[in-house]
Amino acid sequence: METTAPKDNYGLSFGLVAGLIICIITLAQYLGGINAYLSPLGYLTYAAVTVLALIAGLRKKKANEGYLEFGEALKTTFTVFAIALLLQTLFTYILLNFIDVSFKEALSQEIMIKSEEMMRRFGATDEQIDKAIESERGNDPFGFGRVMLGYAISCILAFIICLILSVSIKKSKPVFNNI
């Protein structure tokens, strides 16, 4: 009995590359300090993964003689995102919970301050702000459960991006071959 392995797994290979790139971006943010870590530079990770997911889909399409069904495009692009975001999530979890716990504590404090500022901008009362801060005070925003919840939410957002990418790169084989 012969088993055939897929010749190419573009989702996996590009996902690993994207994961490495966004871990490097996360490390650069960490090395830049709390303000850099919380800066919009983090959105660059989504741009990098989006570009690599698109390239993976296009490579898969090229390997399939210029055709790529929507489902296969979605599978390839979403695999890139899922792997890359999982690597970043695990890297961040290890960094903040095992390598530099003091950075995690300072980061948690800064997040509380920024949350309070945001609530004030949206017109929350002092009582509402105090209640929200008190409910979060005992929680670890970088505990495993919360980090994995963040990963799940990121995957939902990534799925939407992948739907758009897949629609743009799909190309079905013609039903009838013109002779």
Side-chain angles (χ1 to χ4, degrees), residues 110-124:
E110 188 64 25
I111 289 171
M112 292 289 265
I113 291 168
K114 291 201 180 286
S115 295
E116 181 180 348
E117 289 172 358
M118 184 180 70
M119 289 178 76
R120 286 196 191 287
R121 278 195 305 264
F122 286 119

Side-chain angles (χ1 to χ4, degrees), residues 34-55:
I34 290 175
N35 288 332
Y37 196 85
L38 294 175
S39 75
L41 178 64
Y43 295 116
L44 183 60
T45 60
Y46 277 102
V49 178
T50 301
V51 167
L52 287 167
L54 178 63
I55 292 170

Side-chain angles (χ1 to χ4, degrees), residues 89-90 93 97-98 104 139-154:
T89 298
L90 295 174
Y93 178 76
N97 287 287
F98 299 104
K104 176 179 100 166
N139 296 325
D140 180 4
F142 301 103
F144 189 74
R146 282 202 164 178
V147 169
M148 292 311 291
L149 177 62
Y151 169 70
I153 292 168
S154 294

Side-chain angles (χ1 to χ4, degrees), residues 109 112 131-143 146:
Q109 281 296 104
M112 292 289 265
K131 187 176 179 181
I133 288 174
E134 193 57 40
S135 70
E136 282 298 312
R137 195 169 301 282
N139 296 325
D140 180 4
F142 301 103
R146 282 202 164 178

Side-chain angles (χ1 to χ4, degrees), residues 18-40:
L20 177 63
I21 291 170
I22 63 176
C23 285
I24 290 169
I25 292 169
T26 302
L27 180 62
Q29 288 180 279
Y30 162 75
L31 294 173
I34 290 175
N35 288 332
Y37 196 85
L38 294 175
S39 75

